[in-house]
Amino acid sequence: MPKAVSLFSGCGGSDAGLVKAGFDVVMANDILPYAKEVYLANQPETEYLVQDIRKIETFPEADLLVGCYPCQGFSQGGVRKADRTINYLYKEFARALTYIKPKAFIVENVSGMRNSTFQHLLDDQLSRFSNATGIGYNVVWKILKAHHYGVPQERKRLIIVGIRNDFNIEYNFPSPTHGEDTNSPLITIQEALKDLPTWPTGEFCDDIFHWYYLSRNRRRDWSEVSKTIVSNMRHIPLHPISPELRKVDTDKWEFVSDLPARRFSYREAAILQGFSREYTKHGKDLLFPEAPHLSQASLMKERYKVVGNAVPPPLFEAVVRNIPDIW
């Protein structure tokens, strides 16, 4: 079984995809304690370090290195500043790459990284990864859409893949498995959330729908894929049971009726991220452990955060499986 090291691992979306693809994840890392608790509740075999990556001096041997460093500086939903310190954590990934010298690596980040404001940062990443280890990597990148790979959610991500130069192989990205020109239709909200309770008490954010929330249409119908799942629970998309929204002014929407409305629950959000039963060894959707040290309000906030920050497992599995057999 080939081995993988995972950095900026969160609650384990990328690593669930790795496990499905036949990898043994020997180390994972993040700075969020609750992310570790969710990860180990679902993938208990991995050594998980809750530690600033800049303080980790050694890494285990591995065939594959993966990393999903924070994206707030590039994200449409974050503070989009090119000079934010968080934007430079890719340098720590490059350090680990040079230390481990794996046969291949995969990086996942938001599609906003390719925008002109951040082009110099993307170019620097590609240069650093290409020249890492003294051997170097054959590096390619592409924007992939998660719903084209069996994820019931509209989510674009920039994927960087490198194969060590001594293999003399260039990576080819996987073709879509779902949607137009494939044999499988897109997975809809209705299909993904079938048999779940309509009003899961205590599992969804019931804050008021403030003006910012109603500055755009955050609802999709049952027959569609979900809008992007975010990490801020107040900005999570609407569940289809909610009334439709109509535009009444620039950046202003309102419900067409007074019928009850709600956001997706954190459990529904996890399923829409691709954390379905087939991606957990427990035969259940993503498990959320209790956290006695957190209040119920804080715990709900943390659950939404780790889900929104996650990588959709089916998307990551598709990327991993398309690496040639170099293991």
Side-chain angles (χ1 to χ4, degrees):
M1 182 179 292
K3 296 180 180 179
V5 166
S6 169
L7 305 179
F8 313 100
S9 313
C11 71
S14 60
D15 299 7
L18 285 172
V19 171
K20 283 287 290 183
F23 280 79
D24 176 19
V25 184
V26 295
M27 172 191 159
N29 155 257
D30 209 292
I31 60 171
L32 298 176
Y34 189 66
K36 174 184 178 179
E37 294 181 38
V38 174
Y39 186 110
L40 294 182
N42 293 277
Q43 301 179 76
E45 300 83 4
T46 300
E47 179 185 9
Y48 194 113
L49 303 181
V50 178
Q51 191 173 353
D52 187 328
I53 185 65
R54 291 167 289 193
K55 297 180 181 179
I56 299 178
E57 297 181 356
T58 62
F59 302 90
E61 293 183 1
D63 301 290
L64 177 67
L65 175 65
V66 305
C68 311
Y69 26 84
C71 59
Q72 289 90 332
F74 310 109
S75 175
Q76 294 280 359
V79 181
R80 306 183 73 197
K81 295 183 178 179
D83 61 349
R84 291 190 71 195
T85 301
I86 202 170
N87 291 348
Y88 294 91
L89 286 174
Y90 67 83
K91 296 180 180 179
E92 295 301 318
F93 184 86
R95 178 173 65 88
L97 189 63
T98 299
Y99 186 100
I100 299 171
K101 298 179 174 63
K103 296 176 181 178
F105 74 84
I106 303 173
V107 164
E108 181 268 2
N109 217 300
V110 294
S111 60
M113 188 191 294
R114 66 175 175 169
N115 292 343
S116 58
T117 304
F118 308 115
Q119 186 64 47
H120 65 292
L121 295 176
L122 176 57
D123 290 344
D124 190 42
Q125 290 173 68
L126 299 177
S127 175
R128 285 175 184 268
F129 301 157
S130 296
N131 297 307
T133 77
I135 301 174
Y137 288 83
N138 193 336
V139 180
V140 294
W141 67 274
K142 189 174 183 178
I143 302 294
L144 298 183
K145 298 177 179 179
H147 58 286
H148 287 165
Y149 298 92
V151 180
Q153 175 200 174
E154 195 173 75
R155 192 181 191 92
K156 292 193 295 185
R157 284 299 182 267
L158 185 146
I159 307 293
I160 304 173
V161 181
I163 299 178
R164 212 170 58 203
N165 278 340
D166 52 328
F167 289 101
N168 196 29
I169 296 172
E170 181 173 303
Y171 178 80
N172 293 308
F173 285 92
S175 299
T177 58
H178 292 69
E180 190 176 352
D181 298 326
T182 74
N183 293 325
S184 301
L186 299 177
I187 299 179
T188 65
I189 298 172
Q190 185 170 35
E191 183 178 352
L193 302 185
K194 61 184 178 183
D195 302 326
L196 291 181
T198 304
W199 295 93
T201 304
E203 293 195 356
F204 63 89
C205 172
D206 59 2
D207 290 1
I208 62 170
F209 300 110
H210 48 74
W211 69 266
Y212 180 80
Y213 190 90
L214 294 174
S215 66
R216 65 187 73 172
N217 186 357
R218 299 181 188 268
R219 183 186 180 279
R220 287 277 173 84
D221 204 355
W222 286 107
S223 61
E224 300 177 281
V225 297
S226 170
K227 287 179 173 287
T228 300
I229 299 299
V230 296
S231 60
N232 186 321
M233 68 179 187
R234 299 186 76 191
H235 298 162
I236 287 287
L238 286 165
H239 190 284
I241 197 173
S242 308
E244 293 183 9
L245 289 167
R246 63 186 169 206
K247 191 172 185 178
V248 294
D249 204 344
T250 303
D251 299 327
K252 185 175 182 180
W253 296 71
E254 67 180 14
F255 291 107
V256 299
S257 75
D258 293 329
L259 293 174
R262 73 167 176 89
R263 300 166 177 86
F264 286 120
S265 71
Y266 58 78
R267 193 176 309 280
E268 291 163 341
I271 295 170
L272 294 172
Q273 279 276 52
F275 285 102
S276 60
R277 288 167 176 79
E278 63 182 292
Y279 280 93
T280 63
K281 292 185 177 180
H282 299 274
K284 301 178 181 179
D285 298 317
L286 189 65
L287 300 178
F288 293 96
E290 294 295 327
H293 56 287
L294 295 175
S295 67
Q296 286 302 305
S298 295
L299 179 58
M300 180 177 289
K301 183 177 180 180
E302 289 297 302
R303 285 171 168 168
Y304 272 112
K305 180 189 293 186
V306 299
V307 167
N309 285 337
V311 180
L315 173 62
F316 211 81
E317 181 190 353
V319 173
V320 174
R321 287 192 182 277
N322 233 46
I323 297 176
D325 188 9
I326 57 176
W327 316 117

